[in-house]
């Protein structure tokens, strides 16, 4: 592709600038297993502090980040509630079944955005042994397959209340969260406060 043209097929086709490549080449590195990589530590600490969260983990893809979060919040036999257009459901190779041994209940949202009412109505009766255990709600903001739709934060607050009432965790696929924050003038800390886990893409 001609370098002077802007490629709008996807934001994922962007390439590092020469300054970014220089920073990578000059970065101090070390063995991460021994905890010797100061650059990764700095990135993780900075990210956790930006969101006001306990800790952050650097992963090499957004899919891996989502899958680790879902695996850590679910147990075998759990059910994940999400919109039918969610990346975690459509585009992660069925990873929820493979990695978290869990099933998915998809909801029909508005351009990928589900409501607190829909979530409340979809929670399984915990006393019915036939049903998987509702365990996690996964939202996506902005919503890729919804054409970049953005959640109303007030709705997220209501969804969180449904989660609290029903002992569900709340995960955010925030691959494009920064776009939503700029558009809505919201803060990372607000999101860090409300979600149990957030994945972001750099
Ligand atoms: C909403 C969303 N979540 C997760 C991912 C996965 O990111 P990766 O391609 O780095 O695995 C993408 C990729 O574009 C995405 O659009």
């Amino acid at each position: 592709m001609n370098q002077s043209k802007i490629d709008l097929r996807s934001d994922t086709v962007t390439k590092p600038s020469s300054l970014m490549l220089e920073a990578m080449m000059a970065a101090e590195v070390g063995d991460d297993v021994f905890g010797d990589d100061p650059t990764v530590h700095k990135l993780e600490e900075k990210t956790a502090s930006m969101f006001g969260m306990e800790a952050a983990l650097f992963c090499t893809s957004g899919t891996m980040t989502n899958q680790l979060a879902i695996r850590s919040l679910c147990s075998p036999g759990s059910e994940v509630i999400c919109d039918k257009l969610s990346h975690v459901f459509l585009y992660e190779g069925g990873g929820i079944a493979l990695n978290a041994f869990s099933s998915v209940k998809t909801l029909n949202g508005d351009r990928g955005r589900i409501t607190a009412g829909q979530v409340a109505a979809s929670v399984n009766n915990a006393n019915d042994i036939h049903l998987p255990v509702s365990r996690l709600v996964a939202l996506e903001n902005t919503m890729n397959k919804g054409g970049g739709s953005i959640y109303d934060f007030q709705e997220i607050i209501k969804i969180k209340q449904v989660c609290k009432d029903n002992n569900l965790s709340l995960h955010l696929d925030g691959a494009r969260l920064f776009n939503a924050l700029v558009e809505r003038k919201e803060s990372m800390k607000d999101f860090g406060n409300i979600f149990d886990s957030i994945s972001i893409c750099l």
Side-chain angles (χ1 to χ4, degrees):
M1 174 131 328
N2 185 330
Q3 289 284 317
S4 63
K5 291 214 176 104
I6 296 172
D7 187 347
L8 294 175
R9 284 173 300 165
S10 170
D11 52 0
T12 57
V13 300
T14 54
K15 291 179 186 159
S17 65
S18 47
L19 273 178
M20 289 160 83
L21 289 171
E22 273 168 35
M24 287 180 215
M25 288 302 290
E28 213 182 323
V29 294
D31 188 309
D32 194 45
V33 172
F34 290 112
D36 286 347
D37 193 316
T39 307
V40 168
H41 285 168
K42 226 160 127 184
L43 178 66
E44 291 175 340
E45 278 159 21
K46 183 172 178 177
T47 307
S49 114
M50 281 181 346
F51 282 91
M53 294 182 94
E54 200 178 334
L57 182 68
F58 172 64
C59 300
T60 51
S61 78
T63 300
M64 186 180 184
T65 316
N66 279 331
Q67 289 299 317
L68 285 174
I70 293 168
R71 176 65 188 92
S72 70
L73 295 169
C74 289
S75 316
S78 300
E79 187 168 76
V80 178
I81 298 167
C82 64
D83 186 90
K84 67 179 192 307
L85 301 179
S86 303
H87 194 281
V88 295
F89 171 62
L90 284 181
Y91 299 124
E92 299 193 2
I96 293 177
L98 183 72
N99 299 314
F101 309 102
S102 296
S103 53
V104 181
K105 185 182 278 175
T106 56
L107 305 181
N108 198 10
D110 166 31
R111 290 177 59 204
R113 294 162 299 188
I114 55 177
T115 65
Q118 285 179 303
V119 174
S122 71
V123 178
N124 288 336
N125 176 356
N127 296 318
D128 187 337
I129 55 159
H130 300 93
L131 306 176
V133 181
S134 302
R135 187 68 201 89
L136 174 69
V137 176
L139 308 183
E140 189 177 314
N141 198 31
T142 63
M143 221 294 163
N144 184 9
K145 259 272 177 163
S149 58
I150 302 178
Y151 265 93
D152 179 351
F153 196 71
Q154 293 308 310
E155 196 61 39
I156 296 179
I157 293 174
K158 287 185 202 155
I159 292 173
K160 178 67 177 186
Q161 191 56 51
V162 174
C163 290
K164 276 187 182 158
D165 295 344
N166 293 282
N167 195 29
L168 310 176
S169 299
L170 187 58
H171 170 70
L172 177 67
D173 177 349
R176 297 179 185 79
L177 177 61
F178 296 115
N179 300 57
L181 295 180
V182 168
E183 177 64 21
R184 291 288 162 91
K185 300 179 178 48
E186 290 161 346
S187 86
M188 288 177 261
K189 293 242 161 65
D190 288 341
F191 278 79
N193 253 336
I194 212 160
F195 284 91
D196 295 290
S197 57
I198 299 176
S199 64
I200 54 162
C201 290
L202 302 175

